[in-house]
Amino acid sequence: MEEPGVLAEVKESPQYMRMSLSTAMWLDYKTGRFLRNAKSWCINLLLTYTEGCYANCAYCGLARKREGKYEKKSFIHVDWPMHPTAEIIQRIDERADRIKRTCISMITNKRSVGDTIEITGELRRHTPVPVSVLASPTIITRTEIQAFKDAGADMIGIAIDAATTELFEKLRGRGVKGPHKWEAYWQRVRESVEVFGPQNVGVHLVTGLGETEREMLSTMQRVRDYGASTHLFSFLAEPGSAMQEEPQPPLSQYRRIQLGRYLIDNGIAGVGQFA
């Protein structure tokens, strides 16, 4: 019970971070078993603030208008427990032989820009594990992209998610009263390739948001032409989100897109060769 007149500690970044459930298991914060003895080589960390994310993406569990307190919201269908950043970094260092990369995910909150730079630097000073930043293009410029690299990040990700400008505007921009802009995201992709170099930039795309297969593959080709790589996901409705009633895409569709991504990203075929 709290003492009268004593304020409870506000658990926010940079002093605290959230982590995916698999990361919590890999760092021994949670107990559990991985299916078929899978390995969780990447540590996934998420910045956290009481006021949460200012974006309102229709499919996201962290959307501003999704009911509930931000710290209680699930993300990608799993809980994201919170722990002290310094302790997390210590555990990463102690397990560095079984970790290949740490990814810091920003949210659309201006406080996350400086905190991402600070936490990236702390990770690089105290662990040998490479660091990636999943950036929020709406609140950064080329200057911040360079600052991420200067702090020690060697890769950067941009989550465009939607394959067309119309879907982007409908699900992430004006259609949901969100702050994101399609061209700003692509501008950050171009700048990221300039700063980090070809193939050190990953663009997240989500199959099943309403695009055609040709539209998705054409966007993947654009990613490739810019010198970046596609990180592919499949839509799965988040309970409580604006798209909670929308179905998953058929598995056959996702498999075709997976194959197309492999051919495009590896320079084996171009989208113009598909039918």
Side-chain angles (χ1 to χ4, degrees):
M1 188 173 180
E2 295 175 15
E3 297 180 21
V6 177
L7 295 176
E9 179 187 9
V10 178
K11 295 183 177 180
E12 297 181 312
S13 298
Q15 288 78 23
Y16 285 83
M17 296 196 77
R18 297 173 72 181
M19 65 187 73
S20 67
L21 180 60
S22 63
T23 290
M25 291 166 59
W26 204 239
L27 295 182
D28 298 321
Y29 282 113
K30 295 280 188 180
T31 58
R33 292 185 299 170
F34 288 95
L35 181 64
R36 302 190 188 99
N37 199 33
K39 306 299 182 184
S40 183
W41 297 113
C42 183
I43 299 299
N44 292 291
L45 304 177
L46 178 69
L47 281 89
T48 184
Y49 304 96
T50 302
E51 65 270 26
C53 182
Y54 290 107
N56 196 41
C57 303
Y59 49 86
C60 184
L62 302 179
R64 182 180 73 251
K65 292 188 177 180
R66 186 188 181 196
E67 292 186 2
K69 293 184 177 180
Y70 174 75
E71 63 269 19
K72 299 295 184 182
K73 292 179 180 179
S74 63
F75 183 44
I76 328 178
H77 293 266
V78 297
D79 292 330
W80 286 67
M82 184 190 308
H83 291 279
T85 303
E87 184 179 278
I88 294 170
I89 292 173
Q90 180 181 345
R91 293 197 182 199
I92 291 172
D93 184 49
E94 292 169 351
R95 296 158 179 79
D97 61 333
R98 59 177 178 139
I99 297 171
K100 294 183 178 180
R101 179 166 294 280
T102 296
C103 181
I104 303 171
S105 294
M106 299 174 64
I107 62 173
T108 305
N109 182 314
K110 289 184 178 180
R111 296 168 61 189
S112 71
V113 178
D115 291 343
T116 298
I117 295 168
E118 177 181 336
I119 294 168
T120 298
E122 287 296 301
L123 279 161
R124 295 305 293 129
R125 279 189 288 274
H126 297 289
T127 81
V129 179
V131 177
S132 297
V133 171
L134 182 57
S136 181
T138 298
I139 56 175
I140 63 172
T141 66
R142 194 183 193 284
T143 298
E144 285 73 42
I145 293 170
Q146 184 64 57
F148 297 149
K149 184 177 183 182
D150 293 343
D154 69 321
M155 297 186 73
I156 189 169
I158 304 290
I160 294 179
D161 293 347
T164 71
T165 182
E166 293 80 11
L167 283 171
F168 188 97
E169 285 296 322
K170 176 183 176 182
L171 303 177
R172 311 198 67 190
R174 289 173 294 180
V176 290
K177 296 182 172 60
H180 302 319
K181 298 184 183 301
W182 172 260
E183 283 306 327
Y185 267 63
W186 285 104
Q187 179 65 22
R188 298 294 94 79
V189 173
R190 290 190 290 267
E191 292 166 347
S192 294
V193 173
E194 291 170 2
V195 172
F196 282 86
Q199 309 314 312
N200 289 319
V201 179
V203 173
H204 291 202
L205 294 172
V206 180
T207 298
L209 293 179
E211 77 289 340
T212 67
E213 293 180 25
R214 178 165 292 282
E215 286 171 337
M216 176 59 74
L217 293 170
S218 296
T219 300
M220 289 181 176
Q221 185 68 60
R222 183 177 180 180
V223 171
R224 166 76 179 181
D225 293 345
Y226 278 22
S229 300
T230 294
H231 297 176
L232 180 64
F233 301 84
S234 178
F235 171 72
L236 179 60
E238 190 88 45
S241 70
M243 293 183 69
Q244 64 179 348
E245 302 299 332
E246 297 298 320
Q248 280 184 272
L251 180 59
S252 58
Q253 176 184 338
Y254 184 58
R255 293 295 185 229
R256 285 191 294 274
I257 298 300
Q258 280 185 307
L259 178 58
R261 186 217 63 82
Y262 177 84
L263 295 171
I264 291 170
D265 264 15
N266 288 282
I268 299 170
V271 68
Q273 295 173 266
F274 298 145

